[in-house]
């Protein structure tokens, strides 16, 4: 073999080795990149919650811990919880109201197989329409859950129903066990 063929062979082997190493590095790095992206999305979502809810220091820490805890304990991610918290903050809820209202909203979103942020938006909007305070979120989520699981409707359909017919439907459907008004 002449020098050129030897050099070409060695160069080809080096190139294949380099590509194999790059491919391996890509496979090894992918989970770390994904984890970093997830963390960045969560931090961005929590920054948004903090700004919307005007939460600082201990309040933002409480909201962050709550979102993480809900992400660990439910089918929803911490980022999805943070996105829902943003809607509650936009509705004027304070930190303690957001923290207290989240479990019921997660249960309703799970029961209705609905996007968590959309569920939070619907419930907070309807609480306002009914003239109810944020501390009634769990109760409203319970009423909605019973309604959607026992009728041919879903969370979004209930959310689009004007308050008066919805009040009547909830009162009739629940037969006095849960009363919104």
């Amino acid at each position: 073999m002449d020098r050129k063929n030897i050099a070409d062979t060695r160069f080809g082997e080096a190139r294949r080795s380099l590509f194999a190493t790059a491919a391996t590095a890509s496979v090894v790095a992918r989970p770390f990149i994904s984890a970093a992206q997830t963390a960045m999305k969560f931090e961005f979502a929590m920054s948004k919650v903090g700004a919307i809810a005007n939460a600082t220091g201990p309040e933002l820490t409480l909201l962050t811990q709550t979102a993480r805890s809900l992400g660990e304990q439910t089918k929803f991610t911490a980022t999805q919880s943070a996105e829902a918290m943003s809607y509650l903050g936009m509705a004027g809820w304070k930190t303690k109201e957001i923290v207290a209202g989240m479990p019921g909203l997660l249960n309703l979103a799970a029961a209705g197989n609905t996007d968590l942020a959309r569920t939070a938006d619907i419930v907070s909007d309807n609480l306002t329409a009914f003239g109810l305070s944020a501390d009634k979120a769990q109760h409203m989520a319970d009423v909605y859950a019973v309604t959607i699981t026992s009728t041919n409707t879903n969370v979004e359909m209930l959310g689009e129903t004007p308050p008066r017919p919805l009040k009547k439907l909830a009162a009739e459907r629940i037969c006095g066990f849960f009363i919104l008004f």
Side-chain angles (χ1 to χ4, degrees), residues 22-31:
T24 300
S26 172
V27 168
V28 170
R30 191 170 296 135

Side-chain angles (χ1 to χ4, degrees), residues 68-140:
R68 283 188 177 137
S69 175
L70 294 171
E72 292 170 359
Q73 299 171 6
T74 68
K75 79 174 210 162
F76 299 101
T77 67
T79 301
Q80 288 171 320
S81 293
E83 290 166 352
M85 289 177 175
S86 292
Y87 281 98
L88 301 179
M90 285 187 261
W93 293 23
K94 304 298 178 214
T95 299
K96 289 182 181 179
E97 294 170 327
I98 293 171
V99 170
M102 285 299 294
L105 297 175
L106 272 84
N107 290 338
L108 176 58
N113 197 27
T114 310
D115 177 74
L116 178 57
R118 179 76 176 119
T119 301
D121 187 31
I122 289 168
V123 170
S124 63
D125 286 351
N126 281 297
L127 283 169
T128 301
F130 282 120
L132 299 173
S133 59
D135 67 335
K136 302 292 187 211
Q138 177 69 50
H139 179 69
M140 180 172 275

